[in-house]
């Protein structure tokens, strides 16, 4: 019997894409999480067996989960996971800290070591934490780092979403990790026989994605740029935008494939742990122009050893973006080759690799236990 563990369920993002694939893979598994705001989650998820911690009942927790960071270790440690053969945690926060008995194997799919603990200043800027939140959390950071490091020792096997995250796991937790890339729903996308004259960005409008640089670059080039998505940085970015930059706002899932398939190239100026959107663009047959950092190093192929799927620029600057756009010919990327590349990251590939990993490790786990029991029995005779 398997159990799934997830940090919290109050907003949709890449972590929830992974979770949805894991639930599809293990539909009978109960899901343990710190809190669940069903109003902001997809309706079909209400059919899942979701079990929450005491944090779910605290004031404002579903809207401001950061208020209770010091309590998350206690919340996850209190879950009773007896009776489960395997625990699979989908972690960017504290959920890897669940306590399991010697009869249970714990596999952690690590999106990143806990960002607000090990990269606190970056996280505070990224999430726009107010002064009060920063002051209230700071005294707990030492305790949370100590707990987070010790909690990693409870995990039997780590899986990383990218080589960047694998290196962080080695640095922070002193543990080895196997890389299994996150799932991309390639089947939603297809190349188009028509390409229009615009470049495209899709994602949350937040400062760390450096859309300010992207906008300034396209202002100077006078080329058309469409920015799709919503977020707290939109008003500031709109004030920077020239006449060739268009804000499309939130794009419904049904409309996204066509928007991606018709762009000249997809732009990715920020640094991400992995980044699913560039692979969605490839699945739609379009090339990607990305900052050479994080997951883009593993997902954007620049050739010549393999067919190119896009281009990378070396620094986050207006000049570097301009040079990359003006020197890159979108026609140099075959839509069929871009799609074939994306298919390596499809949901079916993810599910197969996860299930193979869990099955193999559990068989080894049982074999080791059986060996210990046999040895103990031999010594007793």
């Amino acid at each position: 019997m398997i159990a799934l563990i997830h940090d919290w369920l109050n907003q949709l993002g890449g972590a929830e894409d992974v979770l949805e694939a894991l639930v599809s893979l293990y539909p009978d598994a109960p899901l343990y999480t710190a809190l669940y705001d069903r109003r902001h989650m997809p309706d079909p998820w209400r059919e899942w067996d979701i079990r929450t911690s005491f944090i779910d009942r605290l004031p404002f927790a579903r809207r401001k989960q950061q208020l209770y960071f010091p309590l998350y270790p206690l919340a996850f440690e209190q879950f009773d996971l007896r009776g489960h053969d395997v625990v699979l945690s989908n972690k960017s926060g504290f959920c890897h800290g669940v306590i399991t008995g010697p009869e249970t194997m714990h596999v952690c799919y690590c999106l990143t070591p806990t960002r607000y603990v090990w990269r606190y200043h970056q996280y505070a800027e990224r999430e726009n934490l107010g002064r009060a939140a920063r002051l209230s959390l700071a005294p707990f950071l030492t305790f949370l780092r100590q707990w987070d490091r010790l909690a990693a020792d409870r995990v039997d096997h780590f899986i990383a979403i990218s080589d960047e995250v694998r290196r962080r796991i080695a640095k922070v937790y002193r543990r080895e990790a196997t890389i299994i890339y996150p799932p991309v729903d390639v089947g939603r996308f297809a190349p188009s026989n028509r390409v229009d004259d615009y470049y495209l960005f899709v994602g949350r409008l937040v400062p760390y994605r450096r859309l300010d640089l992207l906008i300034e670059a396209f202002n100077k080039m006078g080329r058309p740029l469409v920015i799709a998505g919503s977020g707290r940085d939109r008003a500031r970015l709109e004030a920077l935008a020239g006449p060739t930059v268009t804000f499309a706002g939130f794009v419904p899932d049904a409309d996204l494939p066509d928007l991606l398939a018709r762009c000249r190239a997809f732009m990715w100026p920020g640094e991400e742990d992995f980044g699913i959107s560039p692979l969605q663009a490839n699945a739609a047959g379009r090339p990607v122009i990305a900052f050479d950092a994080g997951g883009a190093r593993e997902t954007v192929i620049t050739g010549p050893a393999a067919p190119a799927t896009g281009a990378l620029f070396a620094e986050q600057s207006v000049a570097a973006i301009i040079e990359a756009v003006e020197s890159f010919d979108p026609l140099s990327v075959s839509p069929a080759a871009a799609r074939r590349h994306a298919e390596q990251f499809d949901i079916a590939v993810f599910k197969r690799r996860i299930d193979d990993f869990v099955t193999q490790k559990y068989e080894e786990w049982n074999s080791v236990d059986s060996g210990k029991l046999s040895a103990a029995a031999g010594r007793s005779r």
Side-chain angles (χ1 to χ4, degrees), residues 153-168:
D153 290 339
R154 301 172 188 170
V155 175
D156 296 297
H157 303 285
F158 272 99
I159 303 172
I161 67 169
S162 65
D163 190 56
E164 170 70 20
V165 171
R166 182 196 61 78
R167 289 196 298 268
R168 289 182 206 164

Side-chain angles (χ1 to χ4, degrees), residues 9-10 36-43 46-47 62:
L9 291 173
N10 64 344
Y36 171 42
D37 187 351
R38 61 193 300 167
R39 297 169 303 170
H40 293 95
M41 297 291 104
D43 288 342
R46 299 184 183 188
E47 304 300 318
R62 295 179 182 179

